[in-house]
Amino acid sequence: MQVWPGEAYPLGATYDGAGTNFAVFSEAADRVELCLLHDDGSETAVELRESDAFVRHAYLPGVMPGQRYGFRVHGPYAPERGLRCNSAKLLLDPYARAIAGSVRWGEEVYGYHFDAPDRRNDLDSAPHTMTSVVVNPYFDWGDDRPPRTEYHHTVIYEAHVKGLTMRHPGLPEELRGTYAGLAHPAVIEHLTELGVTALELMPVHQFVNDHRLVDMGLNNYWGYNTIGFFAPHNAYASWGDRGQQVLEFKSAVKALHEAGIEVILDVVYNHTAEGNHLGPTLSFKGIDNPSYYRLTEDPRYYMDTTGTGNSLLMRSPHVLQMIMDSLRYWVTEMHVDGFRFDLAATLARQFHEVDRLSSFFDLVQQDPVVSQVKLIAEPWDVGEGGYQVGNFPPLWTEWNGKYRDTVRDLWRGEPRALAEFASRLTGSSDLYQDDGRRPLASINFVTCHDGFTLHDLVSYNDKRNDANGEDNRDGESHNRSWNSGAEGDTDDPDVLRLRARQMRNFIATLMLSQGVPMISHGDEVARTQRGNNNAYCQDNELAWLDWPPEREKHGGGTGGDGGDDARPRMLAFTRAMVGLRKSHPVFRRRRFFHGRPVEGTHDDLSDIAWFTPEGTEMTQRDWDRAHASALTVFLNGNAISEPGQRGERITDDSFLLMFNASPGPLEFVVPVGHGRQWQVVVDTAREDGVPPGAGPKVRAGARLTLTDRSLTVLQRPV
């Protein structure tokens, strides 16, 4: 075999049409072998003799896409110094563009013996571990263009590749649970009819099924256990895992873009699947442990602010380079449109405390590629001071956990929720205005993958996680949920009607709030996980979306809110609320409300006003009342301060939002002086929620009785 010197950059395996360049960084290694793996189980080892700035490299003519490979790193195994090199372990390339196979758990993939953790384990891991794959980078993107949907037009749909597609009745069996399933017209039709503009995919970076879960007969379903930051997860590919997963993922992105849907990836750059000092040796740990991981004062152990056993070393230039290279790769080569960063506070921990000016954020800010896509932070981790909602830099948007908690509290009847609810409804200026950000920095959500589904939020007071095998100790115990009068399954028609109404309340509130709404997949059809609020290991029908049959989906049922047509009615209502939001810029303002008339709009009315149910303007005393749970909000469509794309003035209809979160019916007075005649366009007390344009007309001063725990929207044409 010919071995040429090759180049130190780019890192990873780079195919150029005639051969492949291999490059890997390791400061800890004495020497590194590239191992080409053959289907008969044999391997060909090539020592990487060339080294530039600790990057070992070589070019191999004739090595083609589909070739499996790995590295064996020779060097010190001295855990007391943080070094864990072991040439018996075949290691994944940190820059692998595709990964084949899966881990077959056993002592072979660990660097120590189970019965003697201090003794080095020299069992060969090659037959038991995953392998890196050389890929062909060429793909016909045709005229693919990123949709570049602006935040104020964005509706995010958080989904799991397998969970969304596994039970879809319109998909061929072989495409269920795959990237190709995402691209199927039946799935895309559902998303476009719903009004979704961005699909936020739960982790699709190559991840590992934990040893502990596999021993329990479970799987890491969610995928927050990354081992390959450049490789699409191979189990979601229907075509194969020798690079086909890359082509299939690209094809899915291309199809979604053609439908005008952006693709946002949920990425996990805060830790890897190698766990703590007792975890396996799969890649980084054996290549250069102290360069990749945060170690404690005793370097045998790992700093852990993620709850997973380790944290990547965010002050290491090689870790930062890998993360930025990965982000750029997914934008430029895979054409994704943005990222949601899991436990993003960890990325800001250069030393111990969270630092919003850390190197990572500096790099993102100046990067000409990454800085131009959607950047969404999950603004917390499990370390000290890890809850950082509102504290990320100006380029970033954030999952607004305070929005979730406050909206839940309001509709379940918690005292003293009204004032904070007003702040969350109007874009959380208390969190984002001081640092120059706008309402669109707030990613609003009521539910997500982590926690109860929307159906379960209104059906359970307590989690039901026994299927996870941890005696119901896992998952959040304080869910701010309310079961509507009966725990879990019930045939009580009154409870079922209330639950359906509460789900409509949450969806309507989400779509009427300033900021960017995010729907958790399946909430639009009342998906349930039977009370399990931590389905991370439930790769089965408990967590997969149970799609309504076509007959039911299109309204073929016969019952009321608790009958066969509850799910299609929920779907129709969600579509209507997304449509209402899309049609009216007053619900998706780019600037915060002023609370006064807007200069230059020729309107004496304030851009927003707050009223008691009696129709009088709210006073501080009204806000401070402990058990206040109802109010009316006036949104002035004639007082939108921001201009349109071409500098034109934006005008819209005006709206009155009437919230009755109290346990009994309340009479609301339509405020006088803000419009003579209004039309009811939403009423969550009705089973159909009154789609826009279908409700009765009412005049200023009229009295409307709102059912307990319901929301009514009145519209006045411009």
Side-chain angles (χ1 to χ4, degrees), residues 634-706:
F634 168 68
L635 302 181
N636 189 350
N638 198 38
I640 298 174
S641 58
E642 63 264 23
Q645 260 191 336
R646 300 186 178 181
E648 75 278 13
R649 184 179 165 220
I650 299 174
T651 58
D652 191 13
D653 296 345
S654 294
F655 290 86
L656 289 171
L657 317 180
M658 296 177 168
F659 296 89
N660 178 19
S662 64
L666 276 182
E667 190 175 72
F668 280 65
V669 176
V670 179
V672 175
H674 289 72
R676 293 182 180 179
Q677 184 163 286
W678 301 81
Q679 182 175 31
V680 177
V681 292
V682 177
D683 181 359
T684 61
R686 293 175 53 108
E687 290 179 355
D688 59 4
V690 185
K697 291 180 170 57
V698 295
R699 298 184 66 82
R703 296 177 179 272
L704 296 177
T705 299
L706 267 65

Side-chain angles (χ1 to χ4, degrees), residues 205-218:
H205 287 175
Q206 184 69 51
F207 61 86
V208 175
N209 277 323
D210 316 55
H211 193 168
R212 178 184 67 86
L213 292 177
V214 172
D215 284 350
M216 295 169 64
L218 300 169

Side-chain angles (χ1 to χ4, degrees), residues 502-518:
Q502 286 282 68
M503 286 191 284
R504 290 192 290 270
N505 290 335
F506 281 120
I507 290 293
T509 303
L510 182 62
M511 292 302 153
L512 298 171
S513 298
Q514 305 298 323
V516 181
M518 184 184 79

Side-chain angles (χ1 to χ4, degrees), residues 288-566:
D288 195 327
N289 190 57
S291 288
Y292 280 109
Y293 293 115
R294 296 188 67 193
L295 305 179
T296 65
E297 289 185 8
D298 182 343
R300 290 176 298 173
Y301 304 112
Y302 295 80
M303 187 81 74
D304 179 17
T305 58
T306 65
T308 60
N310 65 57
S311 301
L312 284 171
L313 182 61
M314 294 307 297
R315 64 176 183 268
S316 162
H318 303 289
V319 169
L320 291 169
Q321 179 189 9
M322 179 184 70
I323 293 175
M324 296 307 299
D325 285 349
S326 169
L327 292 169
R328 278 191 298 271
Y329 173 78
W330 284 95
V331 174
T332 60
E333 297 296 323
M334 307 296 264
H335 285 208
V336 305
D337 305 284
F339 305 95
R340 177 266 189 188
F341 292 80
D342 177 66
L343 300 182
T346 292
L347 302 177
R349 291 182 185 272
Q350 281 190 277
F351 298 96
H352 173 70
E353 68 283 349
V354 176
D355 179 5
R356 64 179 298 212
L357 301 177
S358 73
S359 299
F360 173 69
F361 295 124
D362 290 344
L363 289 171
V364 170
Q365 180 78 31
Q366 61 79 44
D367 190 276
V369 174
V370 180
S371 65
Q372 299 306 302
V373 300
K374 287 185 168 68
L375 301 170
I376 305 171
E378 181 187 35
W380 50 79
D381 65 12
V382 300
E384 182 181 350
Y387 194 75
Q388 294 290 320
V389 173
N391 291 333
F392 276 70
L395 270 184
W396 291 71
T397 62
E398 300 175 11
W399 271 26
N400 191 342
K402 292 188 176 181
Y403 177 94
R404 171 201 61 204
D405 295 346
T406 304
V407 172
R408 289 185 179 193
D409 279 349
L410 178 84
W411 286 114
R412 72 190 180 111
E414 282 295 291
R416 300 192 184 281
L418 204 58
E420 186 169 357
F421 172 71
S423 178
R424 304 298 156 238
L425 181 74
T426 54
S428 296
S429 60
D430 59 322
L431 300 178
Y432 305 115
Q433 192 168 28
D434 287 348
D435 57 14
R437 287 188 286 175
R438 293 184 169 178
L440 301 167
S442 178
I443 305 298
N444 297 330
F445 66 105
V446 176
T447 59
C448 63
H449 68 275
D450 188 2
F452 282 142
T453 66
L454 184 60
H455 172 279
D456 293 357
L457 183 69
V458 301
S459 304
Y460 293 88
N461 287 345
D462 302 306
K463 62 187 180 182
R464 303 284 183 90
N465 295 356
D466 297 295
N468 297 353
E470 299 179 44
D471 296 325
N472 207 35
R473 294 190 304 270
D474 63 303
E476 177 61 59
S477 296
H478 181 47
N479 294 281
R480 292 181 160 89
S481 62
W482 179 52
N483 64 19
S484 307
E487 186 72 3
D489 291 339
T490 181
D491 294 325
D492 187 323
D494 292 334
V495 171
L496 293 174
R497 277 191 289 271
L498 176 55
R499 288 178 179 176
R501 187 160 72 249
Q502 286 282 68
M503 286 191 284
R504 290 192 290 270
N505 290 335
F506 281 120
I507 290 293
T509 303
L510 182 62
M511 292 302 153
L512 298 171
S513 298
Q514 305 298 323
V516 181
M518 184 184 79
I519 302 169
S520 181
H521 81 263
D523 279 352
E524 73 276 19
V525 290
R527 180 175 77 92
T528 180
Q529 291 178 169
R530 305 297 176 195
N532 191 316
N533 75 348
N534 189 33
Y536 77 102
C537 57
Q538 298 298 324
D539 188 4
N540 52 52
E541 293 186 354
L542 180 70
W544 301 338
L545 173 51
D546 180 18
W547 289 82
E550 284 302 306
R551 173 177 169 275
E552 184 181 327
K553 179 180 175 183
H554 295 290
T558 57
D561 268 337
D564 294 338
D565 58 356

